[in-house]
Amino acid sequence: MIAPAVTFEVASRFKSLRRRYFVVRCVSNAATIFAIGVSCWALLALGDYLWEWPLLLRRVLASLAFCGVALFSVAKFWRLSSDASSGRFASRLEQRFDLLGQRLRTVLEATDGRLLAPEAMLSALGHQTLGRWETASPTAILPLRKAIITLSSGLTVSMLVLLAIAVSPDWRIASLRALGSERVYTELEVLPGNSRLLEGTVLRLGLQLHGRTDRKVTL
């Protein structure tokens, strides 16, 4: 027996809402992971900016941070994929909107062919479900607020890091060192560099410090 058209309209609305829900969840998860990754990078750069960690320690900390963010990402998307079935989403709707969720589950069983019932009864159930859909506003289940907060947090942290990199040369070096670069904060330059001169000619030599100069330097 073919289910009434109204039940397929209910099923179409359910699928559309489910698709939008998981798109928002994916965006929210990606923004959270991005914000955490940038925050870890900023903390590593800040630690090196203050204490100038050795190369081995910086690479170990960067590797641990990367592995931690990667594991967190896998866990978040694994949990999201496990919730992707229509049955789990219907259960989520049922927990949030009790009467609507119960009717939805029955309508979905009818459209999938798992429930055999008189057409008049299924049609009445479909119309009742559409009425509940309009009054319950199930789109409220979309985690839009969380997605906006996480996106804003990630963008804010990123802008602060980029601003610090643009303004401070030391912070620019710290951000690279946090990723395992061998850049140094202080460089000693011998002046005038490579020179050609005649034998017996006097050549004045000089030294110049670049970067952090508030320290003792031994030559």
Side-chain angles (χ1 to χ4, degrees):
M1 182 183 66
I2 300 176
V6 67
T7 59
F8 287 101
E9 182 179 351
V10 173
S12 176
R13 290 194 181 191
F14 171 80
K15 292 176 181 178
S16 176
L17 180 63
R18 172 172 164 262
R19 183 169 54 252
R20 291 165 59 193
Y21 175 82
F22 285 103
V23 167
V24 173
R25 283 279 303 274
C26 284
V27 172
S28 179
N29 285 356
T32 301
I33 293 164
F34 177 74
I36 292 174
V38 174
S39 299
C40 289
W41 179 35
L43 288 174
L44 289 175
L46 178 62
D48 185 70
Y49 180 85
L50 296 175
W51 296 292
E52 297 188 31
W53 290 329
L55 177 62
L56 179 60
L57 178 59
R58 284 185 280 119
R59 288 183 174 176
V60 169
L61 291 176
S63 299
L64 291 175
F66 176 80
C67 291
V69 172
L71 290 175
F72 178 76
S73 305
V74 171
K76 290 285 285 184
F77 282 101
W78 178 267
R79 181 179 178 183
L80 181 61
S81 64
S82 66
D83 290 341
S85 65
S86 59
R88 283 182 178 269
F89 186 63
S91 298
R92 189 181 294 274
L93 281 174
E94 190 172 353
Q95 292 173 2
R96 182 79 176 269
F97 311 98
D98 186 19
L99 296 177
L100 174 63
Q102 293 177 4
R103 286 174 169 80
L104 267 175
R105 189 180 294 277
T106 305
V107 170
L108 292 174
E109 290 178 354
T111 55
D112 290 341
R114 291 176 292 160
L115 175 66
L116 298 178
E119 183 177 352
M121 188 180 77
L122 292 179
S123 180
L125 178 62
H127 287 292
Q128 288 178 5
T129 307
L130 281 180
R132 288 286 181 181
W133 188 284
E134 298 296 336
T135 57
S137 299
T139 53
I141 201 173
L142 298 175
L144 293 173
R145 184 178 179 182
K146 182 179 179 181
I148 292 172
I149 291 174
T150 51
L151 278 172
S152 302
S153 301
L155 290 175
T156 301
V157 173
S158 301
M159 290 300 295
L160 290 175
V161 172
L162 292 175
L163 180 62
I165 290 174
V167 171
S168 172
D170 281 355
W171 184 258
R172 193 178 306 122
I173 294 173
S175 64
L176 294 174
R177 285 167 59 91
L179 299 176
S181 172
E182 298 185 11
R183 292 284 298 274
V184 294
Y185 290 104
T186 306
E187 292 181 326
L188 183 64
E189 182 183 7
V190 179
L191 300 176
N194 295 332
S195 300
R196 299 179 65 181
L197 65 157
L198 296 175
E199 184 178 354
T201 304
V202 176
L203 178 66
R204 293 184 179 274
L205 301 179
L207 299 175
Q208 186 173 358
L209 280 178
H210 298 284
R212 292 184 175 179
T213 57
D214 55 340
R215 59 192 58 203
K216 293 182 179 180
V217 178
T218 302
L219 179 62

